[in-house]
Amino acid sequence: MGLMYNLGSNLARVCFSTFGRWKVEGQEAVPPRGRLLVVANHQSNAAPPVVSAAIHRRVWFVGKRELFRNPISAAVLRAWGIHPVDRNGRDIDGLRWILQMLEQEQAVAIFPEGTRSPRGMRAANRGVAYIAMKSQATILPVAITGTENVRAMGRVPFPFCSIHVKIG
């Protein structure tokens, strides 16, 4: 597991426990190995750190390509295991990367809404079903509530709210 990922997920656990009311249910549903497609809702910028803190297994992520414009943030995101994708639904390289990671028995998290949705779930993009069928990965649903109250990126380490994660 990468040093930056370990540092980030452990720091997220500490921050969510110290500065918020953090509850995770269903960790026993996480397979310790094998192809795993983590499918979670995305209410705020806190969703990826919440997923990495809640799942005690290395999870790779995809992130919108616009986050990688700045070379410094791009280097940090890549060090955390985030791969850039175009959200237009036609990113063949992003799809290949996801399928390759799953072929290597990794866990990959995707947010099927394609963007943050603080006011409730949006319809999922169809690509999730395609990835699941093509890869034959186990699908692990993750429901996150409370992060809609963490709007600004600077608030992620200091959520000052209840965050509830239901796995499985």
Side-chain angles (χ1 to χ4, degrees):
M1 215 183 279
L3 177 64
M4 286 294 287
Y5 183 85
N6 278 339
L7 181 63
S9 62
N10 287 323
L11 183 60
R13 279 185 208 105
V14 168
C15 288
F16 297 147
S17 298
T18 304
F19 301 109
R21 291 172 301 285
W22 162 252
K23 181 179 179 184
V24 180
E25 294 180 67
Q27 286 177 320
E28 67 280 357
V30 180
R33 64 192 141 289
R35 299 173 188 184
L36 185 63
L37 187 59
V38 179
V39 180
N41 60 312
H42 192 8
Q43 295 179 312
S44 79
N45 289 324
V50 165
V51 169
S52 67
I55 295 178
H56 295 284
R57 178 178 167 178
R58 175 63 160 99
V59 179
W60 300 86
F61 291 85
V62 292
K64 64 181 180 178
R65 189 167 305 280
E66 295 86 358
L67 295 173
F68 291 79
R69 286 184 187 148
N70 178 306
I72 295 169
S73 62
V76 170
L77 292 170
R78 283 185 188 2
W80 281 335
I82 302 170
H83 184 79
V85 295
D86 292 323
R87 294 186 296 170
N88 63 12
R90 291 179 226 110
D91 188 346
I92 300 302
D93 290 333
L95 177 62
R96 279 193 196 119
W97 181 85
I98 293 169
L99 293 172
Q100 181 180 37
M101 295 305 288
L102 293 169
E103 181 68 29
Q104 294 172 17
E105 305 285 312
Q106 298 295 319
V108 177
I110 56 177
F111 301 101
E113 298 160 281
T115 189
R116 293 183 309 272
S117 53
R119 290 172 186 66
M121 291 286 292
R122 295 181 186 194
N125 293 327
R126 290 181 296 235
V128 176
Y130 176 80
I131 291 167
M133 289 184 341
K134 183 85 172 159
S135 69
Q136 295 297 300
T138 299
I139 299 171
L140 183 67
V142 176
I144 306 167
T145 58
T147 56
E148 69 274 11
N149 299 313
V150 183
R151 304 257 167 129
M153 193 62 179
R155 286 272 317 279
V156 172
F158 310 102
F160 302 117
C161 63
S162 293
I163 298 173
H164 185 209
V165 182
K166 177 75 172 160
I167 301 171

